[in-house]
Amino acid sequence: EYNTSATPDDLLDIYIDDIEIYEVRVVGDNANLPKLCEIYKEDFKVGVALMDFELKDERRVNLITTQFNSITMGNEMKPENILDYKTCSSDVKKYMTEPALNFSKLDLGMKFAKEHQLSMRGHTLLWHQQTPRWFFTKNYSRDPNAPLASKEIMTKRLESYMKQVLTYCNTNYPGIIYAWDVVNEAINVEDGIKGGYRSKDSYWYQIFGSEYIELAFTYARKYAEEGVSLFYNDYNCFEKSKLFAICTMAEDLVKKGILDGIGMQSHIKMDYPSMTDYEYAIKKYASLGVEVQITELDIDLAGNSLEDLTKLGTRYKKLFSLYQSLKETKQANITSVTVWGLSDDYSWLNGDKRKYPLFFDDNLLPKAAFYGACLDESIPLY
Ligand code: XIL
């Protein structure tokens, strides 16, 4: 304590040697952190996936709006949260080819983005998951045995769905969405279909064959705001067979001018894929002449020892160094990198086992992973 009554005579002469000066970081004070969206502002947008409850939590909002300049809604803009069963089934004839939609959940994220001047990745227009089966049945029936609707009806429903969602966004939130995942996860080589198309668990495929993909991109182009990039998005897309199937499919869509980018989800592990395979995939997609976005990055880490967390930091540092160097050397037009969640406690990877995949811990404190992503010199690159 400072002694205010001390006179010069009370002081002792002492020598001080070997001084080291540290920056003191106040626990819980995230205001002085390096800012990801600043670090990469010349390279690409940096985004985070969010759930609706996070938009109302002040500490989270502060962190989101200082670190990131792009957001993706983790669930709220998927078909299951937009399709309105009650209205559709109340008058099947009326809604037969023009499904009734409800935008109240979509509004949450879009309003938040607008209010905080963040850009939005629209996720996702067409997916085999999180799209209820009743949407594919002839009479909007929830009976698990109800027959599927015809291709003709589903073509109209698809166009109407895309038209309504995209028009609603263009009209109410112009300029907020910069990329749409038009089709998500349509390739699954294991299903054994020529072209690698997902078939077994996809009603889209079962009704259309692979035709729905081009249709979806055609409608998306027709109704999306000008300047919005249209993406095909998938996981494990660095695996060679999947990579080549996606490229073959995409090439044709690029030629037709209806696909602008490949979204590499990047739900990866500590030792898989190798950096070499991952880099190869980014370059391969870039060679189609399209944008590449890293759309759902997380690293499935099961331990939280100091060693584990440091290694996670190293893996993130390698990834972000790669993204930056590929962009700056013009080897890949990477336009956005999004991490799939803000803090570990709400990661979608948590199940029976707790996981530690993200930049911030349960107290919203930055982990080595965050500093790795910042390319901070405290994190070893190897
Ligand atoms: C996940 C969400 O994060 C979870 O909350 C939800 O229960 C399931 O979907 N690929 C995608 C994302 O394209 O939409 C998925 O998100 C993760 C895998």
Side-chain angles (χ1 to χ4, degrees):
E1 253 186 43
Y2 185 64
N3 183 353
T4 46
S5 61
T7 67
D9 293 341
D10 295 327
L11 302 177
L12 296 170
D13 287 331
I14 54 166
Y15 290 101
I16 301 178
D17 202 358
D18 280 336
I19 296 181
E20 286 186 54
I21 297 174
Y22 295 93
E23 178 188 350
V24 177
R25 292 212 170 111
V26 180
V27 173
D29 174 13
N30 283 332
N32 297 317
L33 297 179
K35 294 184 177 62
L36 286 163
C37 58
E38 278 294 312
I39 295 172
Y40 296 103
K41 68 169 187 285
E42 305 295 333
D43 299 312
F44 37 73
K45 289 189 165 66
V46 187
V48 61
L50 299 173
M51 288 177 280
D52 52 8
F53 82 90
E54 295 180 273
L55 310 181
K56 296 180 203 106
D57 177 324
E58 199 185 311
R59 278 188 72 210
R60 286 178 177 273
V61 173
N62 278 333
L63 195 53
I64 294 160
T65 53
T66 49
Q67 289 297 330
F68 302 97
N69 48 17
S70 167
I71 60 171
T72 307
M73 294 315 292
N75 289 303
E76 290 72 9
M77 289 165 71
K78 292 171 177 172
E80 72 173 10
N81 284 315
I82 294 180
L83 288 164
D84 180 346
Y85 173 74
K86 229 176 139 193
T87 311
C88 282
S89 60
S90 72
D91 191 341
V92 173
K93 256 201 186 141
K94 176 169 173 202
Y95 297 106
M96 180 56 86
T97 55
E98 293 185 12
L101 308 184
N102 181 325
F103 295 114
S104 57
K105 288 197 177 154
L106 177 141
D107 281 330
L108 295 172
M110 293 304 294
K111 278 194 182 129
F112 181 84
K114 189 173 168 185
E115 183 187 337
H116 296 282
Q117 291 165 307
L118 298 163
S119 297
M120 173 74 84
R121 286 200 87 257
H123 178 74
T124 172
L125 289 168
L126 186 153
W127 193 19
H128 66 289
Q129 276 180 27
Q130 292 185 275
T131 307
R133 187 179 188 278
W134 65 259
F135 177 60
F136 297 95
T137 67
K138 217 170 140 201
N139 294 317
Y140 293 133
S141 165
R142 273 182 168 162
D143 176 347
N145 299 315
L148 297 180
S150 67
K151 200 194 264 192
E152 288 65 37
I153 288 183
M154 284 313 296
T155 302
K156 289 185 179 146
R157 285 187 192 168
L158 174 63
E159 174 161 12
S160 169
Y161 181 86
M162 297 239 169
K163 179 179 176 180
Q164 291 186 66
V165 174
L166 294 167
T167 309
Y168 184 83
C169 291
N170 304 348
T171 313
N172 296 286
Y173 309 100
I176 304 277
I177 296 179
Y178 65 103
W180 264 108
D181 289 330
V182 176
V183 175
N184 200 29
E185 304 181 354
I187 297 287
N188 192 39
V189 179
E190 288 79 53
D191 285 356
I193 300 276
K194 187 162 175 279
Y197 297 106
R198 176 185 296 280
S199 59
K200 290 193 179 131
D201 55 356
S202 169
Y203 296 124
W204 288 114
Y205 188 88
Q206 286 161 30
I207 293 169
F208 283 88
S210 61
E211 264 171 57
Y212 72 89
I213 300 172
E214 186 179 331
L215 270 182
F217 278 97
T218 306
Y219 294 142
R221 179 63 92 222
K222 184 166 169 195
Y223 298 111
E225 210 175 345
E226 223 184 289
V228 174
S229 297
L230 305 181
F231 274 74
Y232 175 76
N233 190 48
D234 214 330
Y235 63 90
N236 287 2
C237 54
F238 41 78
E239 288 174 356
K240 293 290 186 299
S241 52
K242 193 160 183 172
L243 167 67
F244 295 132
I246 294 174
C247 285
T248 306
M249 175 190 75
E251 240 165 346
D252 182 49
L253 301 171
V254 173
K255 260 191 226 140
K256 292 178 167 136
I258 50 182
L259 183 140
D260 308 308
I262 299 291
M264 299 177 67
Q265 291 187 6
S266 307
H267 297 292
I268 63 173
K269 305 204 184 308
M270 287 298 285
D271 53 2
Y272 181 79
S274 69
M275 290 303 292
T276 318
D277 285 352
Y278 191 64
E279 178 174 350
Y280 178 83
I282 300 177
K283 288 181 181 160
K284 193 83 194 161
Y285 291 127
S287 74
L288 296 166
V290 297
E291 290 174 60
V292 175
Q293 297 189 350
I294 309 302
T295 54
E296 305 183 14
L297 178 62
D298 56 16
I299 304 174
D300 193 336
L301 175 69
N304 68 340
S305 68
L306 187 60
E307 196 190 339
D308 290 326
L309 295 173
T310 309
K311 280 190 179 153
L312 183 72
T314 295
R315 183 124 164 106
Y316 271 118
K317 189 170 188 175
K318 281 186 189 158
L319 289 166
F320 275 80
S321 312
L322 176 68
Y323 302 147
Q324 189 178 51
S325 83
L326 289 177
K327 176 72 186 221
E328 291 185 354
T329 57
K330 298 192 169 23
Q331 294 184 80
N333 185 18
I334 300 177
T335 47
S336 167
V337 177
T338 292
V339 63
W340 201 245
L342 186 65
S343 62
D344 285 342
D345 43 353
Y346 293 108
S347 164
W348 77 302
L349 297 173
N350 290 319
D352 298 340
K353 266 197 188 154
R354 249 322 286 270
K355 297 293 172 70
Y356 304 90
L358 300 170
F359 293 169
F360 295 93
D361 71 13
D362 299 6
N363 296 312
L364 293 185
L365 295 177
K367 299 161 58 189
F370 169 76
Y371 290 102
C374 292
L375 308 183
D376 194 281
E377 52 188 35
S378 66
I379 306 299
L381 191 51
Y382 292 98

